[in-house]
Amino acid sequence: MNTKQNIPTVPLSKFFKHSLEILKNPLPFHHQNFVEQGDVFRLKIGFKNSVIFVRDASLAEYVLQKNQKNYTKSKIQTEDLAKYVGKGLLTSEGDHWKKQRKLIQPAFHKKQLVNLLDNIKGAIQTEYKRISPNTVIDIFPILNDLAFQTVVKSLFSIAVDKQDINDLQNITEQTQKMLVKELRQPYLGWWFSLSGEIKKHTDLTDQARHILKRIVNDRRISKTKEHDLLDMLLDAKYDDGSSMKEEQLVDEILILFAAGHETTSNALTFTTQLLALHPEWQDKIYNERNAIENETNDLMDLVTKSKVCQQVIEEAMRLYPPAYFIDRVNKEPDAFNNMEFEAGSNLLFSVYEMHRNPKLWEQPDAFLPERFSEGSRKFSSQYFPFGAGPRKCIGNNFAMFEMIIAISELVSNYKIIPDFEAIEITPLITLKPKNAFLKFEART
């Protein structure tokens, strides 16, 4: 790949020099390059390969929305991730993606999500019973299980074998850890294949597929309607009147598990940590919840009227976006603001850096939920927690509804006290929390 003179280049030698740091946490390395090189730079990662890192929000908007037809996802998702979760919405491209998106989109409309809110709340309340008041705990495992159980209860509202669910959760997490190894250490790809590591994890995926096929088959045989996501997916019809084939249905369910639980559990954990550090916002959410419940006990009303809670979550996702990178590859040569991109350029948009870019945000590192209040929203072109354009996350409403219920429910029952000095992160496939040690005091 030829280096364009108008895009600053970080040499391969620097990449190798910092490779161990990058393996542990690449964000400080990338941040330093953004500071030194500007909002767009090229990083050499091999003798022929390079990646263009971007924190220019206008370029992100151009690629993800205005000229999105010229861009496709990279092989990281379409091949590397796909071998573990199949060809679902997250990993597919072209006509296949369009066909699947059109088919599945109605299941995630707000009017359909109303039917899932009771199941979501039930899953949340069940997991919160594990909180031991007045004891310091790591809240992440609880919120991680909460998010997974929420997806489970939304997909399969009736009882599903607990061991099956535990196996599905374990497989989802193990395959994602393996993918991180492959992405962070591409030079060991030969060893991962030779040693059988990749086969071990693709075999795990086959086990997950077998479990899901059995669950789907049981539902079909029962011929009962549970009005959950599985029913919606089973009932969905293509333009020609046909339904999804079993393999495709399982692909989509695997994607929902992979993308639908980890990002949410991360966002919930960071939000809870930030609330612990800013107790005044706990009080605001608590008062808002009480005011809403004095007017109505309707769950959809709670979700749509919890504006303060929503602002807190949105600000938490600005500071700690779970999907902290977005990748694209251009099909044809392209240009933007005097920068030229030859066909096949790998562009990596750092959502983390864009959300903290001092050119875009006042006090970028401060926790200021009020910046998302109704009269202050000016961020649609620089705020990408769920992506942007046609490929924006299909489950964004589902995730927001779930998180509003979860945070509102938590704050209504507990005061959250930190047992950490500063929030720490572990960047893997998603941005994960590292030290979410908290104490919960029951409200009287």
Side-chain angles (χ1 to χ4, degrees), residues 56-323:
D56 181 335
S58 60
L59 176 54
E61 185 181 31
Y62 172 76
V63 168
L64 299 176
Q65 293 179 275
K66 295 179 180 177
N67 196 30
Q68 53 85 20
K69 290 184 179 179
N70 188 37
Y71 289 83
T72 183
K73 290 191 172 187
S74 76
K75 68 177 287 290
I76 291 173
Q77 294 192 56
T78 59
E79 296 180 21
D80 298 333
L81 178 59
K83 70 175 177 280
Y84 296 123
V85 296
K87 290 286 186 180
L89 274 180
L90 185 65
T91 57
S92 59
E93 281 291 344
D95 291 338
H96 178 63
W97 169 80
K98 290 178 185 176
K99 184 179 178 182
Q100 289 304 111
R101 180 87 180 200
K102 184 178 180 181
L103 179 76
I104 298 171
Q105 182 85 53
F108 289 91
H109 286 166
K110 290 182 179 180
K111 64 181 180 180
Q112 296 290 352
L113 295 180
V114 172
N115 299 323
L116 305 177
L117 293 183
D118 285 332
N119 286 342
I120 291 172
K121 184 177 179 180
I124 289 168
Q125 290 176 329
T126 297
E127 294 304 319
Y128 282 167
K129 290 176 183 176
R130 295 165 52 194
I131 294 175
S132 301
N134 304 314
T135 303
V136 174
I137 61 172
D138 180 358
I139 193 61
F140 176 73
I142 292 176
L143 294 178
N144 189 50
D145 290 348
L146 177 156
F148 196 86
Q149 290 297 328
T150 299
V151 175
V152 168
K153 294 298 184 184
S154 299
L155 268 165
F156 319 123
S157 58
I158 57 175
V160 180
D161 184 81
K162 188 173 182 181
Q163 189 57 53
D164 283 346
I165 298 306
N166 289 341
D167 289 344
L168 286 169
Q169 184 169 356
N170 178 62
I171 291 168
T172 300
E173 293 170 357
Q174 289 302 316
T175 52
Q176 289 194 9
K177 287 178 182 177
M178 185 61 215
L179 181 57
V180 169
K181 283 186 183 180
E182 293 180 65
L183 297 181
R184 294 278 177 84
Q185 298 173 290
Y187 43 85
L188 292 181
W190 64 274
W191 170 249
F192 295 142
S193 294
L194 190 63
S195 67
E197 276 289 290
I198 290 178
K199 185 179 186 306
K200 171 186 170 184
H201 287 83
T202 54
D203 285 348
L204 283 174
T205 296
D206 289 341
Q207 181 184 339
R209 299 183 74 87
H210 178 75
I211 293 170
L212 290 172
K213 286 178 181 179
R214 177 158 38 82
I215 293 172
V216 169
N217 190 51
D218 288 346
R219 175 67 62 85
R220 282 187 167 131
I221 291 172
S222 74
K223 295 183 179 180
T224 57
K225 290 294 180 185
E226 302 296 339
H227 306 291
D228 51 19
L229 283 176
L230 179 57
D231 271 354
M232 295 180 202
L233 294 175
L234 286 170
D235 291 342
K237 304 292 183 186
Y238 294 112
D239 289 343
D240 64 3
S242 64
S243 303
M244 260 191 288
K245 293 182 179 179
E246 184 180 61
E247 291 295 329
Q248 186 63 54
L249 177 61
V250 170
D251 283 354
E252 299 299 352
I253 294 173
L254 281 173
I255 290 291
L256 289 174
F257 280 136
H261 100 274
E262 186 169 331
T263 50
T264 302
S265 64
N266 295 349
L268 283 172
T269 304
F270 288 127
T271 302
T272 305
Q273 287 184 277
L274 287 163
L275 283 170
L277 295 174
H278 301 274
E280 70 278 11
W281 285 96
Q282 294 183 50
D283 294 339
K284 291 178 182 180
I285 292 173
Y286 180 75
N287 293 333
E288 176 182 65
R289 163 103 175 206
N290 286 341
I292 294 170
E293 288 190 329
N294 285 335
E295 296 178 3
T296 178
N297 59 2
D298 183 81
L299 257 181
M300 183 54 85
D301 281 345
L302 174 68
V303 165
T304 56
K305 293 179 179 180
S306 295
K307 300 301 183 183
V308 172
C309 188
Q310 180 176 331
Q311 290 166 34
V312 167
I313 294 167
E314 288 177 325
E315 176 70 344
M317 288 194 295
R318 183 188 69 82
L319 288 168
Y320 301 100

Side-chain angles (χ1 to χ4, degrees), residues 307 310-319 361 368-379 383 385:
K307 300 301 183 183
Q310 180 176 331
Q311 290 166 34
V312 167
I313 294 167
E314 288 177 325
E315 176 70 344
M317 288 194 295
R318 183 188 69 82
L319 288 168
W361 306 88
L368 301 172
E370 60 268 27
R371 72 172 96 232
F372 286 95
S373 62
E374 291 297 316
S376 303
R377 290 175 175 274
K378 305 169 185 174
F379 313 124
Y383 182 63

